[in-house]
Amino acid sequence: MRTSIATVSLSGSLTEKLTAAARAGFDGVEIFENDLLACPLTPEEIRARCADLGLTVDLYQPLRDVEAVPADVFARNLRRARHKFELMRRLGADTVLVCSSVDPCAVDDDALAAEQLADLADLARDSGVRVAYEALAWGRHVSTYDHAWRIVEAAGHPALGTCLDSFHILSRGSDPKGIEDIPGEKIFFLQLADAPLLAMDVLQWSRHHRCFPGQGGFDVAGLVRHVLRTGYDGPLSLEVFNDVLRQAEAGPTAVDARRSLLVLQEAVGAAEPPPAVVPTGFAFAELVTPDAAPLAGLLDALGFARTARHRGKPVDLWQQGEARILVNTAAAARRDGTRLAAVGLESPDPAGAARRAEAMLAPVLPRRRAPGDAPLDAVAAPDGTELFFCSTRPGGWRSDFEDVPHAPAAPSVRRVDHVALTQPWHHFDEAVLFHRGVLGLRAEDSVDLADPYGLLRSRAVSNADGGVRIALTVGAAPTDDTAHAQHVALATDDVVAAARRFRDAGGRLLPIPANYYDDLAARYEFADGELETYRELGILYDRDAHGVLRHCYTRTVGRVFFELLQRDGGHRGYGARNAPVRLAAQHAAGTP
Amino acid sequence: MRTSIATVSLSGSLTEKLTAAARAGFDGVEIFENDLLACPLTPEEIRARCADLGLTVDLYQPLRDVEAVPADVFARNLRRARHKFELMRRLGADTVLVCSSVDPCAVDDDALAAEQLADLADLARDSGVRVAYEALAWGRHVSTYDHAWRIVEAAGHPALGTCLDSFHILSRGSDPKGIEDIPGEKIFFLQLADAPLLAMDVLQWSRHHRCFPGQGGFDVAGLVRHVLRTGYDGPLSLEVFNDVLRQAEAGPTAVDARRSLLVLQEAVGAAEPPPAVVPTGFAFAELVTPDAAPLAGLLDALGFARTARHRGKPVDLWQQGEARILVNTAAAARRDGTRLAAVGLESPDPAGAARRAEAMLAPVLPRRRAPGDAPLDAVAAPDGTELFFCSTRPGGWRSDFEDVPHAPAAPSVRRVDHVALTQPWHHFDEAVLFHRGVLGLRAEDSVDLADPYGLLRSRAVSNADGGVRIALTVGAAPTDDTAHAQHVALATDDVVAAARRFRDAGGRLLPIPANYYDDLAARYEFADGELETYRELGILYDRDAHGVLRHCYTRTVGRVFFELLQRDGGHRGYGARNAPVRLAAQHAAGTP
């Protein structure tokens, strides 16, 4: 199917928007009227620019409040339409969108609406234009798709059809099944947008909070399935009004948009990309640092041993149990201080995972390997983190490392439980959909975390058995994407023993205020001495319906800290309830 | 009356919040539980810190979902309460807030609620604590203030009263008149918050969009009048949950909060600050610049003449009609490039205006004047703009300037119509209230303006006859406060002549795309040649219910540009409809 995007969904000048849409692989665009008015190019030049970029102009929407109005008003509307149809001829756009009227002088008269729309369609046909009539969710008299279709049907004009918009249909809770009663050739256009499930004024919801399909709470795929059953063969076109995307760079937004349609097309059976290969665990987490010593001290105290060194690069492997941390001191990677730069995802089919990622528009990273290195495919996540698809079996990435002598020790931790990554502010929704669409992870619920200096939002993505969990966090303001720390959470069967061992080895745990423990005492009953142990070590405590979570934190090195975490009874959370206390303690320690 | 603020309304650590509240002049605080839990100080130390700062701890709210629950659940709640009452004793807080339950296991049984609240009050009394029961707007069974009061009345316990919260009452549209039926001594606490009138889920509205009184759409003053008639003598306490304020600096937020209460207290007759002295016009706009030449060229082409020079400073006065522009090249003012640094407001009583400003917590600027200079009082607006209260009559500020010879010319413009100032992102609501409360201007409606790189919000403040209009604009992101330009709009009776004169004198007008004029042709009918004139000069056109606005723009120097503007028939707007085209044209010209 052809894909299209409304220019209002992207930021910048019209030419910037067209370039971004074409680069992301869209076939066409809807041109938003203000973008054209503000553009120094003539309509003919815009048409030529689109043609050069391989884009068709699929829709233009310069008309409002056209129908069901008194005769003198309608005469003025036709005058305006005549101007606009001439413009569309110059622009090479053959479909005009007409939204149901919100004009206070519009009357509740379907016959009049049909008659005037037919008159408009007559005029349009003379200019080679088709009229697509759409019900706005807040239209004065026409606000549902079936009502708009009844008027189109009554008009019975070959140049008049309907336009369906998933937001207008699903925001009202209309049943999209009735779409199948509309002949496909009378559906002139299909606009797609998702939105978070907010209980708010529908106009404000529509104008400020739309998002790309798969990023909100609507069943957009279900709606598209109904549309496809009618035989509709026009484009899938994204029309997303979103305050955040208005500020974001057009290029990444266009890729995000195109990826959302790929996921949608797969879901409705309209495309067959390589199937998702869900990762089964963490092969490693890779930290880059200008100075290995502070990390080495921290890892040693946590119970890791330096077990191997890369054969060709300054990269050490630290390991205990199935937890593996790479410490990379290569010059090229050291510019930004100590940070979590890459994650190795254990994959049952690394090559297949890479094919999926590439098909889903993940930027494929050049392989930086020497002859003899194991093949290792990597893509960049939206936050720049490198994701490696790998296998820890013999012959895999591990064979690039040479064992170094180390003292054996009883491990404190078993494996990496999760990694937490701060996301770019303007592309948080993209990050969640990326991890779903590219990696096949599922998204958990979004939670707000109160930081002393702003509200953070966090959403985890995970596989079915919890072997891979990634907490995606976004700061309170656009400038915050590098201000907050990343962390690696290490799963242990005995957090008290692991914390003691860390402390006894000279590690410094994040101190937690005594007031927190007084509150725990008020909230729950504990065995004798239990709370005192938590208090002594700075262990935080939470319960959910499944079980108990106990966790504590190291101090921060650069942007990175570690968490020791014990899940009992299948506790599924990440300690969101404790996050305000932890964040305040980190600010107090000077390492937010 | 005493004033108080909830720590959740301010950002930072608890000690930062307490300091900010005390510096702004609050008498007390409500301590939010998470702030205490995250604080390394003991309750006794917090109490001592508050005492040192002159703050009382007026309220604590550690209890949720207390009442109307099964006996075993209530027993656990009492256990928790016992812990918390002991904490309150250590903290020196004597009032505990209990919100109506949202617990799914709570039952709809007022008698049980009253009985359990009385039991809680018994326990509280033993610890010297009073219980204030409040109806949450989204409470499960109790969601209105009169319902909460009926339960309190039925309980008939001396240590049990009610807490009123303006948000919970006004967000539900309850009539606050019924408050007068509650005996004042049974109103244990009054929490105040305003909010913009949003149609959205009330819990989300409450948690993210509250604002200080006078900054939203509620009649908070009306509610307070009803409360005062009951004889209530507790504090006016601000409890504002707001995502933007969570990120803002606590110091300015606390001042903003305190000012909102001063305006409220004046409105309800509980305080008598010096009366507002509404400015009647612009005495001058002052630009600072490191290089006077580009501005001099621009002003000359606009028809200004350099008429005078300050006797003691490198400041030139440019004038035509009643429009006066100061160009300041003093070294100290030149750091930030060319910008609009100060506005002289023509005042019927400059000293009275200054007294009002100081009483309303406007930062009074030190007088930087030489012996012999006219007295000139100035305060800083929230965006840093210096506001001078002055009189252009003989003996006023003008006498500090010495006339310089200049060629007489017929003026093109009459006066300054408005100035537009970009506001700090985190304090836009403060800016609007500042101009209302300090200067006595009234706020017009807020409008959204689509910039190619994000949505701007703009709100004008003005006096009754339009002699003073200030457009306050806020960028799309926190980082944008200096990215967007400021401008001075000059009123003319003939914008076409003024634009021609400017152009003929070598001035460069902002070019407007031809597509804009094609749209005007579709939208309105014009006299022969009229539209061609506008197109030639880049004049934008708008109509409202009152009349016609024609306006055009100069190129930008530093952060400053000028607008030539002709209002006919009493047009009241600022060209919001044309703003997207103007903003895009400015971006295209490289001078957003």
Side-chain angles (χ1 to χ4, degrees):
Chain A
M1 300 193 70
R2 300 183 62 256
T3 59
S4 188
I5 186 167
T7 56
V8 75
S9 316
L10 301 171
S11 73
S13 66
L14 181 57
T15 51
E16 287 172 322
K17 293 169 188 229
L18 296 177
T19 304
R23 286 207 182 135
F26 282 96
D27 303 301
V29 289
E30 303 177 28
I31 292 185
F32 197 64
E33 186 169 42
N34 265 342
D35 284 325
L36 183 132
L37 301 190
C39 181
L41 302 184
T42 65
E44 289 83 356
E45 289 167 337
I46 295 170
R47 176 186 195 153
R49 178 70 62 98
C50 287
D52 287 348
L53 291 166
L55 294 170
T56 51
V57 181
D58 292 331
L59 193 79
Y60 193 58
Q61 45 174 315
L63 301 175
R64 289 264 160 181
D65 299 328
V66 168
E67 83 290 7
V69 289
D72 59 324
V73 175
F74 186 65
R76 285 203 298 276
N77 292 348
L78 278 187
R79 175 183 174 280
R80 183 161 157 71
R82 196 170 290 116
H83 274 273
K84 296 300 178 182
F85 293 157
E86 166 59 14
L87 168 65
M88 289 175 67
R89 191 192 53 72
R90 298 169 63 196
L91 193 60
D94 70 356
T95 305
V96 67
L97 182 70
V98 173
C99 298
S100 60
S101 181
V102 298
D103 191 336
C105 81
V107 293
D108 188 8
D109 181 342
D110 287 1
L112 179 63
E115 181 192 322
Q116 292 181 337
L117 286 171
D119 287 351
L120 182 75
D122 263 346
L123 184 66
R125 187 173 46 185
D126 296 345
S127 306
V129 166
R130 314 187 304 167
V131 176
Y133 180 61
E134 171 187 87
L136 283 182
W138 55 90
R140 187 164 163 80
H141 302 295
V142 178
S143 57
T144 59
Y145 76 89
D146 49 315
H147 191 178
W149 162 238
R150 285 198 304 276
I151 291 171
V152 168
E153 194 174 23
H157 194 291
L160 178 67
T162 191
C163 173
L164 300 175
D165 181 306
S166 62
F167 181 89
H168 291 301
I169 296 168
L170 298 174
S171 66
R172 291 188 53 99
S174 296
D175 183 350
K177 185 156 188 348
I179 291 171
E180 297 186 26
D181 299 334
I182 307 174
E185 70 275 12
K186 294 302 276 186
I187 302 175
F188 280 6
F189 211 72
L190 174 61
Q191 293 180 312
L192 298 178
D194 201 343
L197 300 180
L198 303 171
M200 67 182 295
D201 173 66
V202 68
L203 189 151
Q204 296 300 322
W205 189 18
S206 173
R207 294 233 173 122
H208 301 284
H209 301 284
R210 289 184 179 211
C211 57
F212 297 122
Q215 297 178 351
F218 290 158
D219 181 11
V220 181
L223 181 141
V224 170
R225 279 190 205 101
H226 292 301
V227 175
L228 295 183
R229 285 194 197 114
T230 68
Y232 171 76
D233 65 356
L236 301 176
S237 188
L238 297 168
E239 188 188 35
V240 168
F241 304 88
N242 181 295
D243 290 356
V244 174
L245 296 182
R246 281 179 184 273
Q247 302 174 34
E249 269 185 83
T253 303
V255 171
D256 176 27
R258 186 81 183 77
R259 182 182 301 124
S260 83
L261 282 186
L262 289 171
V263 172
L264 177 78
Q265 287 172 291
E266 179 182 36
V268 303
E272 285 192 35
V277 180
V278 182
T280 55
F282 290 104
F284 58 80
E286 180 174 355
L287 309 178
V288 299
T289 183
D291 175 11
L295 279 180
L298 198 53
L299 290 168
D300 179 67
L302 284 165
F304 284 87
R306 195 171 74 92
T307 57
R309 187 168 176 83
H310 195 279
R311 294 175 192 280
K313 299 175 198 161
V315 180
D316 286 335
L317 168 62
W318 292 75
Q319 183 160 359
Q320 65 174 316
E322 294 299 310
R324 299 175 202 90
I325 308 289
L326 302 184
V327 177
N328 184 339
T329 50
R334 283 168 13 184
R335 279 187 304 269
D336 301 323
T338 301
R339 64 198 168 87
L340 178 50
V343 172
L345 295 167
E346 192 71 36
S347 177
D349 175 10
R355 281 194 300 276
R356 167 75 178 188
E358 188 166 4
M360 285 292 167
L361 309 180
V364 176
L365 296 171
R367 290 186 181 174
R368 293 187 311 253
R369 60 191 197 90
D373 279 5
L376 201 52
D377 292 298
V379 297
D383 65 355
T385 302
E386 300 183 8
L387 300 176
F388 288 89
F389 302 112
C390 45
S391 164
T392 308
R393 287 169 303 187
W397 68 276
R398 185 64 180 76
S399 58
D400 296 341
F401 286 78
E402 194 164 41
D403 288 349
V404 295
H406 59 277
S412 269
V413 309
R414 283 194 294 115
R415 59 182 190 86
V416 172
D417 180 87
H418 64 275
V419 296
L421 296 166
T422 306
Q423 299 300 302
W425 195 84
H426 289 115
H427 290 283
F428 186 69
D429 289 338
E430 174 187 3
V432 176
L433 185 63
F434 177 95
H435 286 85
R436 283 180 50 219
V438 173
L439 305 181
L441 299 176
R442 55 183 195 179
E444 304 180 21
D445 290 340
S446 180
V447 292
D448 284 346
L449 310 177
D451 180 275
Y453 299 95
L455 219 49
L456 308 181
R457 193 151 58 105
S458 185
R459 196 165 183 194
V461 291
S462 57
N463 69 356
D465 70 0
V468 174
R469 303 178 200 249
I470 303 175
L472 305 168
T473 300
V474 69
T479 45
D480 264 355
D481 22 341
T482 57
H484 282 277
Q486 308 160 319
H487 80 265
V488 180
L490 302 165
T492 172
D493 294 329
D494 186 345
V495 71
V496 170
R500 284 228 165 92
R501 172 185 178 154
F502 177 70
R503 195 191 54 180
D504 294 346
R508 294 165 68 207
L509 289 161
L510 183 73
I512 300 299
N515 296 332
Y516 170 81
Y517 295 97
D518 291 348
D519 180 60
L520 277 190
R523 197 180 288 276
Y524 307 113
E525 299 197 52
F526 292 94
D528 274 357
E530 186 180 356
L531 202 53
E532 286 59 44
T533 302
Y534 300 157
R535 189 191 299 257
E536 170 203 340
L537 294 165
I539 291 173
L540 301 160
Y541 182 95
D542 195 21
R543 287 187 197 169
D544 69 7
H546 306 281
V548 169
L549 178 75
R550 279 169 278 207
H551 55 137
C552 59
Y553 296 89
T554 70
R555 298 296 182 98
T556 305
V557 176
R559 287 181 63 194
V560 180
F561 62 92
F562 291 88
E563 176 180 3
L564 290 166
L565 168 150
Q566 178 179 352
R567 295 178 187 276
D568 287 310
H571 185 103
R572 295 182 186 170
Y574 298 80
R577 181 202 285 264
N578 296 323
V581 169
R582 186 258 298 173
L583 289 160
Q586 290 179 316
H587 281 288
T591 55
Chain B
M1 301 193 69
R2 300 183 61 258
T3 59
S4 188
I5 186 167
T7 55
V8 73
S9 317
L10 302 170
S11 74
S13 66
L14 181 57
T15 51
E16 287 172 322
K17 293 170 187 226
L18 296 177
T19 303
R23 286 208 181 133
F26 282 95
D27 304 301
V29 289
E30 304 177 27
I31 293 186
F32 197 64
E33 185 168 45
N34 266 342
D35 284 326
L36 182 130
L37 300 191
C39 181
L41 302 183
T42 65
E44 290 82 358
E45 288 167 338
I46 295 170
R47 176 185 196 153
R49 178 71 63 98
C50 288
D52 287 348
L53 291 166
L55 294 170
T56 51
V57 180
D58 293 330
L59 192 79
Y60 192 57
Q61 46 175 312
L63 301 175
R64 290 265 161 179
D65 299 329
V66 168
E67 84 290 8
V69 289
D72 58 324
V73 176
F74 186 64
R76 284 203 299 276
N77 292 347
L78 279 187
R79 176 182 174 280
R80 183 160 156 73
R82 197 170 290 117
H83 275 271
K84 296 300 178 182
F85 294 157
E86 166 60 15
L87 169 65
M88 289 175 66
R89 191 191 55 72
R90 299 169 62 197
L91 193 60
D94 69 356
T95 305
V96 68
L97 181 70
V98 173
C99 299
S100 60
S101 181
V102 299
D103 192 334
C105 82
V107 293
D108 188 9
D109 182 341
D110 286 2
L112 180 63
E115 180 192 322
Q116 293 182 337
L117 287 170
D119 287 351
L120 182 75
D122 263 346
L123 185 67
R125 188 173 45 184
D126 297 343
S127 306
V129 167
R130 315 188 304 167
V131 176
Y133 180 60
E134 169 187 89
L136 283 182
W138 56 90
R140 187 164 164 80
H141 302 295
V142 178
S143 57
T144 60
Y145 74 89
D146 49 315
H147 191 178
W149 162 238
R150 285 198 303 277
I151 291 171
V152 167
E153 194 175 24
H157 194 290
L160 178 67
T162 191
C163 173
L164 300 174
D165 180 307
S166 63
F167 181 89
H168 291 301
I169 296 169
L170 299 173
S171 66
R172 291 188 53 100
S174 297
D175 183 351
K177 184 156 189 347
I179 290 171
E180 297 185 26
D181 299 334
I182 307 175
E185 70 275 12
K186 293 302 277 184
I187 302 175
F188 281 6
F189 211 73
L190 174 61
Q191 293 180 310
L192 298 177
D194 201 345
L197 300 180
L198 302 171
M200 68 182 295
D201 173 66
V202 69
L203 190 151
Q204 295 301 321
W205 190 17
S206 172
R207 295 234 172 121
H208 302 284
H209 300 285
R210 290 184 178 213
C211 55
F212 297 123
Q215 298 179 351
F218 290 156
D219 181 11
V220 181
L223 181 140
V224 171
R225 278 190 206 100
H226 292 301
V227 176
L228 295 183
R229 284 193 199 115
T230 68
Y232 171 76
D233 65 356
L236 302 176
S237 188
L238 297 167
E239 189 189 33
V240 168
F241 304 88
N242 180 295
D243 289 356
V244 174
L245 296 181
R246 281 178 184 273
Q247 301 174 35
E249 269 185 83
T253 302
V255 171
D256 176 26
R258 186 80 183 80
R259 183 181 301 126
S260 83
L261 281 186
L262 289 170
V263 172
L264 177 77
Q265 287 172 292
E266 179 181 37
V268 302
E272 283 192 35
V277 181
V278 183
T280 55
F282 290 103
F284 58 80
E286 180 173 357
L287 309 177
V288 299
T289 183
D291 174 12
L295 279 180
L298 198 55
L299 290 168
D300 179 67
L302 283 165
F304 284 88
R306 195 171 74 92
T307 58
R309 186 166 176 85
H310 195 279
R311 295 176 194 277
K313 299 176 198 162
V315 180
D316 287 335
L317 167 62
W318 291 75
Q319 182 159 0
Q320 66 175 314
E322 294 299 310
R324 298 174 203 90
I325 308 288
L326 302 183
V327 177
N328 184 339
T329 49
R334 283 167 15 182
R335 279 188 304 270
D336 301 324
T338 301
R339 64 197 168 86
L340 178 52
V343 172
L345 295 168
E346 193 71 36
S347 176
D349 174 10
R355 281 194 300 278
R356 167 76 177 186
E358 188 167 3
M360 285 293 168
L361 309 182
V364 176
L365 295 171
R367 290 186 181 175
R368 293 187 312 254
R369 58 190 199 92
D373 279 5
L376 201 51
D377 290 299
V379 296
D383 64 354
T385 302
E386 300 184 7
L387 300 176
F388 287 90
F389 302 112
C390 44
S391 162
T392 308
R393 287 171 305 188
W397 67 276
R398 185 63 179 78
S399 59
D400 296 341
F401 286 77
E402 195 164 40
D403 288 348
V404 296
H406 59 275
S412 268
V413 308
R414 284 195 293 116
R415 58 183 191 85
V416 172
D417 180 88
H418 65 274
V419 295
L421 296 166
T422 306
Q423 298 302 301
W425 194 85
H426 289 116
H427 290 284
F428 186 70
D429 289 339
E430 174 187 3
V432 175
L433 184 63
F434 177 96
H435 287 85
R436 284 180 49 220
V438 173
L439 305 181
L441 300 176
R442 54 179 197 182
E444 304 180 22
D445 290 340
S446 179
V447 291
D448 284 345
L449 310 177
D451 180 274
Y453 300 94
L455 219 49
L456 308 181
R457 192 151 62 105
S458 185
R459 196 165 182 193
V461 291
S462 57
N463 69 356
D465 70 0
V468 174
R469 302 177 201 249
I470 303 176
L472 305 168
T473 300
V474 70
T479 45
D480 264 355
D481 23 339
T482 57
H484 283 276
Q486 309 160 318
H487 80 267
V488 180
L490 302 164
T492 173
D493 294 328
D494 185 345
V495 72
V496 170
R500 285 229 165 91
R501 171 183 179 155
F502 177 70
R503 195 191 52 180
D504 294 347
R508 294 165 69 207
L509 289 160
L510 183 72
I512 300 298
N515 296 332
Y516 170 80
Y517 296 97
D518 290 349
D519 181 59
L520 277 190
R523 196 179 289 275
Y524 307 115
E525 299 197 51
F526 291 95
D528 273 358
E530 186 180 356
L531 201 52
E532 286 61 43
T533 302
Y534 300 156
R535 189 192 298 258
E536 171 202 339
L537 294 165
I539 290 172
L540 300 161
Y541 182 96
D542 195 20
R543 287 187 197 169
D544 69 7
H546 305 282
V548 170
L549 178 74
R550 278 168 278 207
H551 55 137
C552 59
Y553 296 88
T554 71
R555 297 296 182 100
T556 305
V557 176
R559 286 182 64 194
V560 180
F561 62 93
F562 292 88
E563 176 178 3
L564 290 165
L565 167 150
Q566 178 179 353
R567 296 178 187 276
D568 287 311
H571 186 103
R572 295 181 184 170
Y574 298 79
R577 182 203 285 264
N578 296 324
V581 169
R582 187 258 295 173
L583 289 161
Q586 290 178 316
H587 281 287
T591 55

